[in-house]
Amino acid sequence: MLIEHAVTAADKLFYQLRKDIVEGVVAAGSKLSEAELASQYQVSRAVVREAINRLSTSHLIERKANVGARVVSLTSAGLDELYQVRESLEGMAARLAARHMPVAEIQALEALLDSHLSKVKGEHSYYQEAGDVDFHYRIVVGSQNKQLINLLIDGIYHLVRMYRVQLGMAGPRVTTAFDEHRNIVRAIADRDEELAELLMRRHITYSKHHIQLKLA
Amino acid sequence: MLIEHAVTAADKLFYQLRKDIVEGVVAAGSKLSEAELASQYQVSRAVVREAINRLSTSHLIERKANVGARVVSLTSAGLDELYQVRESLEGMAARLAARHMPVAEIQALEALLDSHLSKVKGEHSYYQEAGDVDFHYRIVVGSQNKQLINLLIDGIYHLVRMYRVQLGMAGPRVTTAFDEHRNIVRAIADRDEELAELLMRRHITYSKHHIQLKLA
DNA sequence: GAGCGCTTTATTGTCGACAATTTATCCATG
DNA sequence: CATGGATAAATTGTCGACAATAAAGCGCTC
């Protein structure tokens, strides 16, 4: 997983807030008061404002002039829209990864799946969280399209995680998702662009249905 | 075209800077000095910083901590990456527009093309600028996917325009693009999702090739 | 003369205070 | 009692000054 090093105070608060929002520590739909956050985190309002501004890049908040910022709400329609975009972009990422991903990175990805396999047998919890994120993350990077990488990694991924974390994602899907990952990597290793995109889109569709069960 | 009403001082500066960057008044690759901009536009550094932060959402600048912000540079590779993403997203927008766009909006879009047709015969300049932007804009809105709308309208569209404006876009393409628009609208009116996406993707590919001639 | 380290300069980051705007409260009026 | 408007409170927007960091300039050493 990528390590984002916080150099400035606004960085730290931004990462902290993003984490808290994704994990629901700061509730969805709640208002972000600048003064409140400033005293709570012991920083000036300037850094709070900067952190909030950056959160809007991740589509985690909505800001209105002279009114303030609110954490986005999680809705069924919102999940649909998000996953439509995600399917399109990540499908393309898988296609481009099949075209451009260096063999070294592909082998590393296969090794990652191997390490996941052993862990899946024991504890189910690890895999579906960090493991799945890491898997998708590597494929996106493998696409070698900076525009796409930014859009997904800095953008909608966090909102995706927010839906997944807060609406839960347990059950038998853990292991079936693993097989889907296997097949996607195989398609990439075979440089089969069509299949890689198809499998990735299908994988994401399954994932959406799984989340929607909780939402409906 | 959507009217973005500037309510705060940071809004105004943001829109102004975005316009200046897209049109090349502020050169691509140049550094954005906070102090310089503050005195130049007669505002405090706080609003300059806020405006610059928002520009990064549009992918028009790159910011490094403790160093500053630079306007992005226009490269051939960057154009490729941008248009790969654009093709994917706008292709999907056309597909969703064919599925969801209200008939009233479709008729308005057809009327818009009619009005363009008459103007194309006389002066070529109008159509390719505002006309084309307006056309794509309406289809994206017609998709009725907020996530997608934000990504395109507030995001990569401005970078797309930056490439087009600064690398030029003259020549015989003006009229052929008009026919492509016609066919896309027809597919949407026919609710033919597959064809709408296909034609949109092709349309964007043509557009890219046309720009690349200037860049190579 | 080239390269390294220190000092100086310039630029960004952070802070607290004030201004402008919105929201809440309260009183008057029908 | 509901409603509307004026006032008061709270919140965001903007400002100028100071702190921290990075870049530039300078002298020293080899």
Side-chain angles (χ1 to χ4, degrees):
Chain A
M1 185 74 187
L2 177 67
I3 302 163
E4 292 170 313
H5 193 55
V7 33
T8 179
D11 283 339
K12 290 199 206 71
L13 180 58
F14 168 59
Y15 293 136
Q16 181 70 43
L17 275 180
R18 194 177 62 182
K19 184 166 179 280
D20 289 347
I21 290 175
V22 166
E23 296 177 0
V25 176
V26 175
S30 65
K31 180 159 162 38
L32 291 179
S33 164
E34 295 183 1
E36 197 175 332
L37 291 173
S39 75
Q40 187 173 338
Y41 289 92
Q42 294 294 336
V43 288
S44 117
R45 268 187 57 222
V47 334
V48 173
R49 284 176 67 82
E50 171 122 7
I52 288 180
N53 278 334
R54 287 203 226 164
L55 285 173
S56 68
T57 302
S58 313
H59 305 275
L60 292 178
I61 65 155
E62 285 169 355
R63 232 183 104 185
K64 263 187 286 189
N66 287 316
V67 173
R70 304 195 78 87
V71 180
V72 296
S73 324
L74 305 183
T75 69
S76 182
L79 180 67
D80 269 329
E81 295 180 348
L82 178 65
Y83 264 68
Q84 276 180 340
V85 172
R86 188 190 170 196
E87 186 181 318
S88 176
L89 288 180
E90 274 204 69
M92 175 178 141
R95 171 184 290 272
L96 291 178
R99 194 182 305 168
H100 294 307
M101 197 172 189
V103 281
E105 287 184 23
I106 297 178
Q107 289 170 349
L109 185 54
E110 289 170 335
L112 180 75
L113 283 189
D114 288 338
S115 82
H116 285 170
L117 180 58
S118 48
K119 293 191 180 175
V120 169
K121 294 173 181 171
E123 29 159 349
H124 282 192
S125 57
Y126 169 77
Y127 177 70
Q128 68 196 45
E129 268 311 317
D132 192 61
V133 169
D134 202 0
F135 172 80
H136 286 272
Y137 176 84
R138 292 197 189 205
I139 289 183
V140 171
V141 171
S143 77
Q144 301 195 338
N145 181 319
K146 290 186 195 123
Q147 201 73 35
L148 183 61
I149 294 171
N150 275 339
L151 238 48
L152 285 170
I153 306 277
D154 299 335
I156 69 174
Y157 259 31
H158 301 284
L159 187 54
V160 169
R161 280 186 54 224
M162 184 174 171
Y163 270 97
R164 290 175 41 155
V165 170
Q166 299 201 22
L167 299 181
M169 202 178 173
R173 169 142 179 76
V174 178
T175 46
T176 69
F178 179 81
D179 290 333
E180 291 164 24
H181 286 185
R182 268 277 189 243
N183 291 331
I184 291 172
V185 173
R186 195 189 320 270
I188 291 176
D190 291 344
R191 304 302 186 186
D192 189 335
E193 299 183 12
E194 292 274 337
L195 186 61
E197 173 165 1
L198 174 77
L199 292 177
M200 178 61 88
R201 293 183 91 115
R202 192 179 289 177
H203 172 60
I204 291 171
T205 299
Y206 289 156
S207 171
K208 185 182 82 171
H209 289 156
H210 196 255
I211 296 178
Q212 260 178 338
L213 294 179
K214 303 260 176 173
L215 222 166
Chain B
M1 185 77 187
L2 177 67
I3 301 165
E4 292 170 313
H5 194 55
V7 33
T8 179
D11 284 340
K12 291 199 205 71
L13 181 58
F14 167 59
Y15 293 137
Q16 180 71 43
L17 274 181
R18 194 177 62 181
K19 183 166 180 281
D20 288 348
I21 290 175
V22 167
E23 297 178 357
V25 176
V26 176
S30 65
K31 181 160 163 36
L32 290 179
S33 163
E34 294 183 2
E36 197 175 332
L37 291 173
S39 75
Q40 186 174 339
Y41 288 92
Q42 294 295 335
V43 288
S44 115
R45 267 187 57 221
V47 332
V48 172
R49 283 176 68 83
E50 171 123 6
I52 287 180
N53 277 336
R54 287 205 228 164
L55 285 173
S56 68
T57 301
S58 314
H59 304 276
L60 292 179
I61 64 156
E62 284 168 353
R63 233 184 104 185
K64 260 187 290 189
N66 286 314
V67 173
R70 304 195 78 87
V71 179
V72 296
S73 323
L74 306 181
T75 67
S76 182
L79 180 68
D80 270 329
E81 295 180 347
L82 177 66
Y83 264 68
Q84 274 180 341
V85 172
R86 189 192 170 194
E87 186 182 318
S88 176
L89 289 180
E90 274 203 69
M92 174 179 143
R95 171 184 291 271
L96 292 177
R99 193 182 306 168
H100 295 307
M101 196 171 189
V103 280
E105 287 184 23
I106 297 178
Q107 289 169 349
L109 185 52
E110 289 170 336
L112 180 74
L113 283 189
D114 287 339
S115 81
H116 284 169
L117 181 58
S118 48
K119 293 190 180 175
V120 169
K121 294 174 182 171
E123 28 158 350
H124 281 193
S125 56
Y126 169 77
Y127 177 70
Q128 68 195 47
E129 268 313 314
D132 191 62
V133 169
D134 202 1
F135 172 80
H136 286 272
Y137 176 85
R138 292 197 187 204
I139 289 184
V140 170
V141 171
S143 77
Q144 300 195 340
N145 181 317
K146 289 185 196 122
Q147 202 73 35
L148 183 60
I149 293 172
N150 275 339
L151 240 46
L152 285 170
I153 306 279
D154 299 334
I156 70 175
Y157 260 30
H158 301 283
L159 188 53
V160 168
R161 280 186 54 225
M162 186 175 170
Y163 270 98
R164 289 175 41 154
V165 169
Q166 298 200 23
L167 299 180
M169 203 177 172
R173 168 143 180 74
V174 178
T175 47
T176 69
F178 178 82
D179 290 333
E180 290 165 24
H181 286 184
R182 267 276 189 244
N183 291 332
I184 292 172
V185 173
R186 194 188 321 269
I188 291 175
D190 291 344
R191 304 300 186 186
D192 189 336
E193 299 182 13
E194 293 273 339
L195 186 60
E197 173 165 2
L198 175 77
L199 291 178
M200 179 61 89
R201 293 184 91 114
R202 192 179 289 177
H203 172 60
I204 291 170
T205 300
Y206 289 157
S207 172
K208 184 181 83 170
H209 290 156
H210 195 254
I211 296 178
Q212 260 177 338
L213 294 179
K214 303 261 178 174
L215 222 169

